């Protein structure tokens, strides 16, 4: 007989997450404006196999069935993002009622099923019109984001009580503007640093606006946090690991809690950083109600550079890896949770994403058997539980992802879903991991 050994606190929030561009499709329907991901994926060579989010999971049309699926899974909470160009086609100014209506109906549908909506305002699909004006590296973006956050929180703030301003600003800034692997595909560290700063400033300015429009709500931000471990005890590797930690983790965590940008990184980047104006860092450090962490893997860091062009130390993954090539290392999640509480003092922590891509196939029995994903989830949830036992205030866990979807530069080649999506027929099939997760939610443990 199975013995249940892991029991979560009564009010633990069990959820799953998605993002607008990855699931909605309907890229140019109703009044929706073009996003930087529409532009980027439509240009040849940017996304694997030439895939685009034009159709994705067709969630824009199938949302009612998808709600039923969410209910069937037993989720208590659902994290999704609103597409900025769907509600403000040009980024600012004219509002699309059709766009707002879509999200309003989705929220009503969730609440009717007793599922708590968690909205991410920015999960990477910037209106192209705003990119044409300079995008995140240009300071005007800050007011534009506040206008957008104000609009969405005014319309939905009576019903939505959990808000995430930004998803993974490091990825928006550095993968989009420095490494060029994401939209808009630029390669400039200076642009990336300016983008990172304006993202933080946009977040800081939006928080009080959301709180005003949505009284009693919880407002936070989600970061991708990756523990960095030196590949050897050598000074060079240790220095490199500390550099990547500064680059990915501290560059965002420190300013959010009022410590400013980490000085070692400021020195190393050697950028003039004239985009920082007096008072900016106070704004960026407005206290949040929670920090969201997206955790997938740790990185083992070697001192040698990836390339001269990409001025970043090399990270290596080995051992137990997922289809992304990312090392499965649940204990590093535990460590990062401890750091967020004991070092950075965040009052509440939500794991806003955690999950794994594996090769999934529909078996002869019509089911999708994904034991590796079940194991991934179970091993990470063990560490979440361990963190809670240690007194760390982890209140929620959102599996990435509700269903297979458009995995950015990898297109549809990587499946992260609890639910399998047949992209030809748009049929959804609950994987074994979905069924397992459902029982975890029911029993509040496993
Ligand atoms: C995160 C993103 C999410 C998804 C996962 C695999 O960085 O926030 O949209 O692509 O990675």
């Amino acid at each position: 007989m199975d013995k249940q050994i892991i029991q979560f606190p009564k009010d633990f929030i069990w959820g799953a997450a998605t993002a607008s561009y990855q699931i909605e499709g309907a890229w140019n329907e109703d009044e929706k404006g073009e996003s930087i991901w529409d532009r980027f994926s439509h240009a040849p060579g940017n996304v694997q196999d030439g895939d685009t989010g034009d159709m994705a999971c067709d969630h824009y049309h199938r949302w009612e069935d998808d709600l039923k699926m969410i209910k069937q899974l037993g989720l208590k909470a659902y994290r999704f993002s609103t597409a900025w160009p769907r509600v403000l086609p040009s980024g600012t100014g004219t509002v699309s009622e059709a766009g707002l209506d879509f999200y309003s109906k989705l929220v009503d549908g969730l609440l009717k099923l007793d599922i708590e909506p968690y909205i991410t305002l920015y999960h990477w699909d910037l209106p192209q019109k705003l990119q044409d004006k300079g995008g995140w590296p240009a300071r005007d973006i800050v007011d534009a984001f506040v206008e957008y956050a104000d609009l969405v929180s005014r319309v939905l703030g009576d019903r939505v009580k959990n808000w995430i301003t930004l998803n993974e600003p490091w990825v928006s800034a550095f993968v989009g503007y420095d490494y060029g692997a994401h939209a808009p595909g630029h390669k400039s560290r200076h642009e990336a640093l300016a983008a990172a700063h304006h993202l933080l400033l946009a977040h800081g300015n939006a928080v009080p606006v959301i709180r005003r429009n949505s009284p009693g709500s919880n407002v936070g931000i989600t970061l991708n946090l990756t523990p960095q471990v030196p590949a050897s005890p050598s000074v060079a590797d240790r220095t490199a690991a500390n550099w990547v930690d500064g680059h990915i983790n501290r560059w965002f965590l420190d300013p959010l809690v009022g410590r400013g940008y980490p000085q070692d990184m400021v020195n190393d980047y050697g950028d003039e950083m004239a985009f920082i104006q007096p008072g900016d860092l106070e704004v960026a450090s407005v206290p949040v109600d929670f920090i969201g962490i997206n955790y997938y893997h740790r990185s083992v860091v070697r001192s040698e550079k990836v390339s001269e062009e990409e001025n970043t130390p090399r990270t290596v993954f080995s051992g137990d890896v997922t289809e992304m090539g990312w090392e499965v290392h649940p204990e590093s999640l535990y460590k990062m949770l401890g750091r967020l509480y004991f070092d950075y003092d965040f009052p509440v922590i939500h794991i806003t994403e955690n999950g794994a891509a594996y090769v999934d196939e529909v078996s002869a029995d019509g089911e999708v058997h994904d034991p590796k994903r079940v194991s991934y989830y179970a091993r990470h949830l063990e560490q979440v539980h361990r963190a809670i036992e240690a007194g760390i205030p982890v209140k929620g866990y959102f599996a990435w992802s509700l269903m297979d979807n458009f995995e950015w530069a990898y297109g549809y080649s990587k499946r992260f879903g609890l639910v399998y999506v047949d992209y030809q027929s748009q049929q959804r099939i609950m994987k074994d991991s979905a069924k397992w997760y459902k029982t975890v939610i029911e029993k509040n443990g496993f």
Side-chain angles (χ1 to χ4, degrees):
M1 208 178 75
D2 283 355
K3 216 170 75 190
Q4 179 155 339
I5 40 167
I6 299 208
Q7 191 67 48
F8 280 78
K10 253 209 206 74
D11 50 358
F12 195 72
I13 300 154
W14 295 103
T18 62
S20 46
Y21 187 73
Q22 295 181 277
I23 65 164
E24 285 181 4
W27 77 279
N28 60 356
E29 265 178 68
D30 297 331
E31 293 127 348
K32 183 179 167 289
E34 189 188 10
S35 79
I36 55 172
W37 268 95
D38 294 317
R39 177 70 63 94
F40 187 74
S41 70
H42 291 160
N46 286 332
V47 176
Q48 193 171 328
D49 305 321
D51 288 343
T52 73
D54 291 3
M55 167 80 112
C57 306
D58 199 28
H59 171 74
Y60 189 70
H61 298 115
R62 295 169 192 266
W63 63 273
E64 286 177 282
D65 286 340
D66 287 341
L67 280 187
K68 288 182 201 146
M69 181 176 88
I70 292 172
K71 186 66 190 172
Q72 209 191 329
L73 253 159
L75 300 181
K76 307 270 185 239
Y78 174 52
R79 171 180 177 233
F80 63 97
S81 74
T82 47
W84 186 345
R86 202 178 282 293
V87 299
L88 283 164
S90 302
T92 56
T94 309
V95 171
S96 164
E97 291 301 332
L100 283 175
D101 208 43
F102 171 68
Y103 296 114
S104 193
K105 286 199 290 221
L106 185 66
V107 164
D108 287 342
L110 285 165
L111 292 174
K112 224 168 121 192
L113 296 171
D114 218 14
I115 297 157
E116 201 57 40
Y118 279 65
I119 287 191
T120 309
L121 286 165
Y122 187 70
H123 202 129
W124 309 351
D125 39 2
L126 185 72
Q128 180 63 41
K129 283 265 167 58
L130 294 180
Q131 180 54 44
D132 297 342
K133 293 180 183 157
W136 286 107
R139 194 173 173 98
D140 286 349
I141 194 85
V142 175
D143 288 342
F145 181 76
V146 174
E147 180 181 333
Y148 162 60
D150 180 34
L151 172 70
V152 177
S153 58
R154 239 185 306 121
V155 174
L156 303 178
D158 55 337
R159 290 156 287 159
V160 175
K161 295 297 171 191
N162 292 282
W163 298 90
I164 294 162
T165 52
L166 306 174
N167 180 68
E168 304 188 351
W170 178 80
V171 174
S172 300
F174 287 94
V175 185
Y177 292 95
D178 185 348
Y179 306 130
H182 279 188
H186 293 192
K187 291 192 173 173
S188 155
R189 181 146 296 168
H190 173 72
E191 273 196 30
L193 290 169
H197 184 67
H198 297 141
L199 281 154
L200 284 166
L201 196 56
H203 155 79
N205 276 297
V207 170
V209 173
I210 301 167
R211 285 193 176 128
R212 191 188 66 215
N213 290 338
S214 181
S217 62
N218 299 306
V219 189
I221 181 170
T222 280
L223 303 180
N224 54 297
L225 297 170
T226 316
Q228 308 296 330
V229 184
S232 80
S234 76
V235 172
D237 285 350
R238 286 201 330 233
T239 306
N242 184 58
W243 189 92
V244 185
D245 181 59
H247 181 53
I248 295 182
N249 303 322
R250 290 183 283 122
W251 195 255
F252 294 87
L253 284 169
D254 285 13
L256 281 175
V257 299
R259 296 181 193 168
Y261 290 114
Q263 196 54 49
D264 60 324
M265 298 307 295
V266 173
N267 298 345
D268 190 85
Y269 286 142
D271 196 83
E272 97 293 343
M273 304 230 291
F275 45 77
I276 305 178
Q277 294 185 9
D280 283 2
L281 288 164
E282 281 79 78
V283 173
S285 61
V286 56
V288 288
D289 299 304
F290 65 88
I291 182 86
I293 159 172
N294 291 353
Y295 175 80
Y296 290 93
H297 58 78
R298 72 165 181 177
S299 302
V300 176
V301 187
R302 284 194 200 295
S303 58
E304 83 253 22
K305 298 273 192 268
V306 170
S307 64
E308 264 324 303
E309 192 196 15
E310 191 164 311
N311 188 19
T312 304
R314 186 178 293 284
T315 52
V316 287
F317 302 107
S318 59
D320 181 4
V321 295
T322 68
E323 194 51 23
M324 296 294 283
W326 295 342
E327 182 187 354
V328 181
H329 205 271
E331 258 180 67
S332 290
L333 171 58
Y334 173 75
K335 282 197 194 136
M336 189 50 93
L337 292 172
R339 189 173 172 195
L340 289 178
Y341 184 55
F342 296 115
D343 183 4
Y344 284 99
D345 211 15
F346 286 106
V348 168
I349 304 169
H350 289 307
I351 292 152
T352 42
E353 287 179 27
N354 176 234
Y358 288 109
V359 177
D360 296 313
E361 273 153 17
V362 184
S363 304
D365 60 3
E367 310 271 335
V368 180
H369 304 298
D370 58 341
K372 286 190 190 154
R373 186 173 290 103
V374 172
S375 158
Y376 182 97
Y377 278 129
R379 285 185 284 161
H380 284 79
L381 282 171
E382 256 169 46
Q383 297 297 326
V384 175
H385 183 260
R386 196 178 152 208
I388 295 170
E389 297 271 278
I392 301 163
V394 186
K395 303 292 182 190
Y397 178 89
F398 293 78
W400 183 270
S401 176
L402 172 65
M403 56 182 154
D404 295 337
N405 58 48
F406 176 85
E407 180 45 40
W408 308 112
Y410 295 92
Y412 298 101
S413 69
K414 301 284 183 273
R415 295 179 176 272
F416 274 92
L418 291 164
V419 174
Y420 181 91
V421 176
D422 177 328
Y423 294 110
Q424 299 307 315
S425 65
Q426 288 295 344
Q427 194 200 349
R428 276 79 160 130
I429 303 170
M430 285 238 229
K431 300 180 192 174
D432 286 354
S433 56
K435 296 174 190 166
W436 177 81
Y437 193 49
K438 182 183 166 76
T439 66
V440 172
I441 299 173
E442 274 165 15
K443 296 192 208 151
N444 207 30
F446 57 98

